[in-house]
């Protein structure tokens, strides 16, 4: 099939970024116009030489200077820092931006890309969690599509194809693998180390999202992401250990449509790029005989109480989802550095959520101020927990 798409990839060196490039390697119709990473200079140099984008960005400014020297024999423009990331996200020749950077740093480039009328293949869930009210309105205003890359949201989006009236949707059933500590109780998680939490049973992802999957923070972020993408807060999380049913939609007549597949992020990434078409995919067909039973459980929100905090943030709305997200970003960083305990992650989020007063309809500057405040509370939490 003839297929052409010109894309910018924000976070090309990460788990989603490299799989996006794998798809572009397979389909020559997908052209990489611009790409960014934070500091992985060796990989992005290799990627730039292979895909020949017009612009490459390193947000780490020192490394960007070195990259400029390395790529001096090419006509690729090297840009840097936050401005460079925005230049990458708004690259003239790209029609779609894959947002695969990690954390709240995805928010501003995504907003600028929408203003520049780019469609968004959205992996960076933090964008919708923190700025969903701004992003969704802007997308409508600018007539651009936000196409989900997150596997659950892609599954919901696929299950909704053919649904002509969204009022027929009763609720969303969002599946969760349950992570490496499924079935454990709080007291069994006291001594969890980063290397334990980094062992995800089904998916190979970046470090932050892997830790978030183990605490169910990731599922909490996904509930908030789903609210903005699909316009409902009737979202139920179901633990499904096999990660084969990627999520489901239940309709008013109790009919349920699900999307299934082997756990492989290439499908949702590719679908976001080829929608409304589908292109063939090599390898990784779903072999049903390998999954003689598919199981579904209620999540244990006493042990994984970050999920309960996420539902509180969803209900409160306003700035609370930003508090939840930014506190988690800071807490995961501290946990990875061995400075707070595993259970400290959800305790730190709870502390930030109880200390920060809500703001209805926050502006971008409210979001950044709250981001800073939530991080400060978590850093204080670390100091206090040392005493
Ligand atoms: P990775 O950690 O693997 O990659 C992150 C990418 O962002 C890298 O290219 C990294 O560059 C870059 N980056 C890191 N910090 C910054 C920063 N401060 N500013 C700009 N760029 C930065 O993450 P993933 O690919 O796993 O996840 C990316 C996003 O996709 C996240 O929002 C995640 O929640 C979401 N997602 C991921 C899934 C997965 O399977 N991995 C599934 C569903 C959603 P460098 O390499 O130089 O550090
Ligand atoms: Mg997901």
């Amino acid at each position: 099939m003839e297929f052409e798409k010109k894309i910018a990839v924000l976070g090309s060196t990460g788990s989603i970024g490299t799989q996006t490039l794998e798809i572009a390697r397979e389909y020559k119709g997908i052209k990489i116009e611009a790409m960014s990473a934070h500091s992985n200079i060796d990989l992005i140099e290799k990627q730039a030489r292979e895909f020949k984008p017009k612009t490459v960005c390193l947000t780490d400014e020192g490394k960007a200077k070195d990259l400029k020297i390395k790529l001096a024999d090419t006509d690729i423009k090297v840009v840097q820092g936050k401005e460079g990331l925005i230049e990458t996200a708004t690259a003239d020749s790209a029609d779609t931006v894959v947002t695969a950077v990690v954390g709240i740093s995805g928010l501003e480039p995504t907003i600028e890309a929408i203003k520049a009328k780019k469609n968004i293949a959205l992996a960076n869930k933090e964008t919708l969690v923190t700025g969903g009210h701004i992003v969704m309105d802007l997308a409508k205003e600018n007539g651009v599509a936000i196409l989900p890359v997150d596997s659950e949201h892609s599954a919901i989006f696929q299950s909704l194809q053919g649904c002509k009236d969204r009022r027929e949707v009763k609720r969303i059933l969002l599946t969760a693998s349950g992570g490496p500590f499924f079935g454990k109780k709080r007291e069994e998680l006291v001594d969890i180390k980063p290397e334990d939490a980094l062992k995800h049973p089904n998916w190979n992802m970046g470090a932050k999202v892997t830790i978030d999957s183990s605490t169910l923070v990731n599922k909490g972020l996904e509930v908030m992401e789903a609210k903005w993408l699909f316009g409902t807060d009737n979202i139920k999380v179901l633990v499904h250990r096999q990660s084969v049913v990627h999520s489901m939609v239940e309709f008013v007549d109790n009919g349920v449509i699900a999307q299934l597949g082997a756990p492989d992020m290439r499908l949702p990434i590719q679908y976001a790029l080829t929608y409304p078409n589908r292109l063939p995919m090599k390898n990784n067909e779903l072999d049903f005989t390998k999954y003689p039973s598919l199981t579904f459980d209620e999540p244990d929100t006493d042990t994984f109480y970050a999920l309960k905090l996420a539902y509180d943030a969803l209900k409160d709305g306003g700035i609370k989802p930003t508090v939840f997200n930014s506190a988690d970003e800071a807490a995961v960083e501290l946990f990875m550095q061995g400075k707070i305990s595993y259970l400290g992650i959800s305790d730190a989020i709870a502390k930030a959520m109880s200390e920060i007063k809500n703001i209805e309809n926050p502006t971008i500057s409210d979001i950044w101020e709250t981001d800073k405040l939530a991080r400060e509370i978590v850093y204080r939490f670390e100091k206090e927990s040392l005493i």
Side-chain angles (χ1 to χ4, degrees), residues 125 150-152 218-219 222:
K125 58 196 90 186
D150 214 343
S151 58
E152 296 78 358
N218 182 53
K219 211 45 58 182
E222 290 184 353

